[in-house]
Amino acid sequence: QVQLVESGGGLVQPGGSLRLSCEASGSIFTIYAMGWYRQAPGKQRELVATITSGSNTNYGDSVKGRFTISRDNAKNTVYLQMNSLQPEDTAVYYCKLIYDSGYSWGQGTQVTVSS
């Protein structure tokens, strides 16, 4: 059994910043990658950013230059620093873990960007 605990979501004004965290625990032998996806109402879930065990990163086009993904391998934790947030970034953000037994999703954390 694997658990992903996300935190850091909330309400922020346009131009503001938030930092999301996701800690993985449970029956994990090897983590291959962790990442963040988001889903806005009425839209499909989309890639935000991923990071591999070797720290290779990949970003969705809409967040490049504004968001930064990082990880702490010792803590099995991935972070997402979000700067210059805009109303279109409003969504539920989901953490995803890719590991030796497959993949797992977190429960999601709401990010709302509004004045």
Side-chain angles (χ1 to χ4, degrees), residues 81-102:
Q81 178 66 42
M82 305 186 292
N83 299 327
S84 301
L85 284 160
Q86 300 301 318
E88 53 265 34
D89 295 314
T90 296
V92 178
Y93 284 68
Y94 295 92
C95 176
K96 183 177 183 180
L97 167 72
I98 301 173
Y99 65 117
D100 50 278
S101 295

Side-chain angles (χ1 to χ4, degrees), residues 27-72:
S27 301
I28 302 168
F29 184 68
T30 303
I31 293 178
Y32 297 119
M34 297 183 75
W36 292 94
Y37 292 73
R38 69 186 182 186
Q39 188 166 17
K43 295 188 177 181
Q44 289 188 333
R45 191 171 296 189
E46 65 174 0
L47 167 72
V48 177
T50 59
I51 184 167
T52 68
S53 58
S55 296
N56 293 314
T57 59
N58 184 40
Y59 293 92
D61 288 341
S62 61
V63 307
K64 286 180 181 177
R66 300 187 297 124
F67 292 9
T68 303
I69 191 170
S70 60
R71 61 185 288 178
D72 184 333

